[in-house]
Amino acid sequence: MASDRYNTQILLPEPTLRRLPWYLSYIDILAADGVATVSSTRIARALSVDASQIAKDLSFLNIKGKTRIGYDVEDLRRALTSFLGFRTAHNAFICGVGSLGEALIRDRGLSNYGLNIVAGFDVKPRLIGTEICHVPIFHPDDMKARQSACQASIGILTVPVRQAQDVADNMVAAGIKAIWNFTPYRVRVRDGIVLANTSIYAHLAIIYNRLNSIGGGALK
Amino acid sequence: MASDRYNTQILLPEPTLRRLPWYLSYIDILAADGVATVSSTRIARALSVDASQIAKDLSFLNIKGKTRIGYDVEDLRRALTSFLGFRTAHNAFICGVGSLGEALIRDRGLSNYGLNIVAGFDVKPRLIGTEICHVPIFHPDDMKARQSACQASIGILTVPVRQAQDVADNMVAAGIKAIWNFTPYRVRVRDGIVLANTSIYAHLAIIYNRLNSIGGGALK
């Protein structure tokens, strides 16, 4: 499969990994419009990113543009989607099926980006044994057994702050390799475990602070 | 009100604004446990942040710890919550009531952090005139009229990539001062408008890449 050529063992700089999805979403629009080729200059103009930066980022993909023509839109789209891992299904557990946890299970958009939530875990008796959008909910004690059956690599953390560290530890003990932390708590993991924080509430704090300050401005 | 003393026109460094919610969530746990005082050393140990960094971050709050005793937990908690803007209601519109948009409306957690979603907008006829968790959904053409009634300062962007820039422009034209962009598209705004990107899909790309690379490691 072509996708195996990409996305293997190249540890990309985080800023590059943050920019590549911008390029992909722009390329998606061009593809939908039937545009056949695109230059890095055109991408640069649309996204306000330096053209040489774009060329450098795309060089990781092992895809070459043609002089004076640019990149083939369909090739570039396929290469970006594969390279970013969005074409491969990654099994995930979600711990904490409260308001945010349920919302993430219901967000079908995530599956378009390769995230396959296979099970939810919660201590609330009224949730255990139910399904949300076909995702079964279990008691946390069943995590190891579910892991044997599902081989999940990603654990989404949406528990209350107070349980965050313990639940992260339990997920790692059950064999989870990456913790995606949505709680405002600073969870720690041992070496060799991937930790990504999506700090929704930190972003709110930044927005409020910038709104109250004079001027505003762009944030990362 | 005490809260007015904080959170006004001090443009804080973004790393500080990202760390303060960590402190708050830890302090919340201490408060629930009935702990009366806490030193920056203790916070440092719990969160693996340098103690001098914590003291520096907290110095923005105009709150002083006592030598050999530390900070009063309740005072610190109140100060952090106010300073971060979580005690003030900020009215917000949400544009794009698809899967993620609806999920954010349903996430009651956001209201605990001062975000008050007052209206949703979508072009789908079956949604217009309905309510989701008491949030009414309107056609985007009604945004200016709703803005007169609601005075929303924040616009949450959860539309498809293709509409992202146009809808952001429309929100700014309607008087929105801050765009919270959940799309993978790189939206641009004029000077004086706050832009915050919560790049859920970029985080997924980073997780996938780190999982495929050897070793893993902590991400921001």
Side-chain angles (χ1 to χ4, degrees):
Chain A
M1 239 181 87
S3 67
D4 296 332
R5 209 155 42 97
Y6 313 107
N7 197 26
T8 43
Q9 298 178 348
I10 315 163
L11 191 72
L12 254 73
E14 197 168 316
T16 297
L17 282 167
R18 289 184 180 275
R19 282 187 298 264
L20 290 175
W22 297 343
Y23 309 156
L24 177 58
S25 60
Y26 178 61
I27 301 298
D28 278 343
I29 295 176
L30 294 182
D33 285 347
V35 175
T37 58
V38 63
S39 63
S40 46
T41 321
R42 181 168 176 184
I43 305 174
R45 215 176 326 123
L47 304 181
S48 301
V49 176
D50 194 63
S52 63
Q53 181 69 68
I54 293 172
K56 198 177 155 189
D57 288 340
L58 293 181
S59 72
F60 286 108
L61 272 70
N62 233 344
I63 188 170
K64 286 263 185 308
K66 283 183 200 151
T67 321
R68 262 187 271 263
I69 294 174
Y71 302 93
D72 181 276
V73 165
E74 273 306 330
D75 284 353
L76 186 51
R77 186 192 195 190
R78 252 193 308 269
L80 275 166
T81 313
S82 295
F83 189 84
L84 290 168
F86 295 160
R87 286 174 82 185
T88 313
H90 299 79
N91 283 356
F93 286 162
I94 188 160
C95 284
V97 188
S99 169
L100 179 60
E102 180 175 341
L104 290 173
I105 292 175
R106 291 187 184 280
D107 178 11
R108 295 171 301 279
L110 290 169
S111 62
N112 295 332
Y113 288 84
L115 192 79
N116 184 27
I117 301 178
V118 291
F121 297 90
D122 205 292
V123 291
K124 284 185 223 79
R126 67 174 173 82
L127 289 174
I128 296 160
T130 66
E131 288 193 353
I132 297 171
C133 294
H134 306 292
V135 174
I137 313 299
F138 301 95
H139 189 277
D141 288 348
D142 294 335
M143 199 183 298
K144 278 208 172 159
R146 295 321 303 160
Q147 176 65 342
S148 306
C150 299
Q151 295 296 313
S153 53
I154 298 170
I156 305 171
L157 192 63
T158 47
V159 295
V161 156
R162 178 173 211 107
Q163 279 82 46
Q165 186 64 55
D166 285 350
V167 172
D169 291 343
N170 289 344
M171 287 203 280
V172 171
I176 290 289
K177 300 296 179 208
I179 302 286
W180 193 5
N181 177 25
F182 279 84
T183 80
Y185 194 76
R186 181 164 161 84
V187 163
R188 285 157 302 155
V189 294
R190 65 168 167 76
D191 276 359
I193 300 295
V194 178
L195 173 66
N197 295 305
T198 295
S199 309
I200 291 185
Y201 309 116
H203 286 181
L204 270 180
I206 295 170
I207 293 171
Y208 298 158
N209 182 262
R210 297 301 185 251
L211 272 175
N212 282 327
S213 310
I214 301 136
L219 311 173
K220 257 200 306 188
Chain B
M1 236 182 85
S3 68
D4 296 331
R5 208 159 39 100
Y6 312 107
N7 198 23
T8 43
Q9 297 179 351
I10 315 163
L11 190 71
L12 254 72
E14 197 170 315
T16 297
L17 281 167
R18 290 184 181 274
R19 281 187 299 263
L20 291 175
W22 297 342
Y23 309 156
L24 176 58
S25 60
Y26 178 61
I27 301 299
D28 277 344
I29 295 177
L30 294 183
D33 285 346
V35 175
T37 57
V38 63
S39 62
S40 46
T41 320
R42 180 168 177 185
I43 305 175
R45 213 173 331 121
L47 304 181
S48 301
V49 176
D50 193 64
S52 64
Q53 181 67 67
I54 294 172
K56 200 177 153 189
D57 287 341
L58 294 181
S59 72
F60 286 108
L61 272 69
N62 236 345
I63 187 169
K64 286 263 185 306
K66 281 181 200 151
T67 318
R68 265 187 271 260
I69 294 174
Y71 302 93
D72 181 275
V73 165
E74 273 306 330
D75 284 354
L76 186 52
R77 186 191 195 191
R78 252 193 308 271
L80 275 166
T81 313
S82 296
F83 189 83
L84 289 168
F86 295 160
R87 286 175 83 186
T88 314
H90 300 79
N91 283 355
F93 285 164
I94 188 161
C95 285
V97 189
S99 167
L100 179 60
E102 180 175 340
L104 290 173
I105 293 174
R106 290 186 185 281
D107 178 11
R108 296 171 298 280
L110 289 169
S111 63
N112 295 332
Y113 289 83
L115 192 77
N116 184 27
I117 301 178
V118 292
F121 298 89
D122 204 293
V123 291
K124 285 185 223 77
R126 69 175 172 80
L127 289 173
I128 295 160
T130 67
E131 287 192 354
I132 297 170
C133 294
H134 307 292
V135 174
I137 314 299
F138 301 95
H139 189 276
D141 288 349
D142 294 334
M143 198 184 296
K144 278 209 171 158
R146 297 318 306 160
Q147 176 65 339
S148 305
C150 299
Q151 295 296 316
S153 54
I154 297 169
I156 304 170
L157 193 62
T158 47
V159 295
V161 156
R162 179 173 210 108
Q163 279 83 48
Q165 185 64 56
D166 284 351
V167 172
D169 291 343
N170 289 344
M171 287 203 277
V172 171
I176 290 290
K177 299 297 180 206
I179 302 286
W180 192 5
N181 177 26
F182 280 82
T183 81
Y185 195 76
R186 183 165 160 82
V187 162
R188 285 156 303 158
V189 294
R190 65 168 167 77
D191 275 359
I193 300 295
V194 178
L195 173 65
N197 295 306
T198 294
S199 308
I200 290 186
Y201 309 116
H203 285 182
L204 269 181
I206 295 170
I207 293 171
Y208 297 159
N209 183 262
R210 298 302 187 249
L211 271 176
N212 283 326
S213 310
I214 301 135
L219 312 171
K220 259 200 309 191

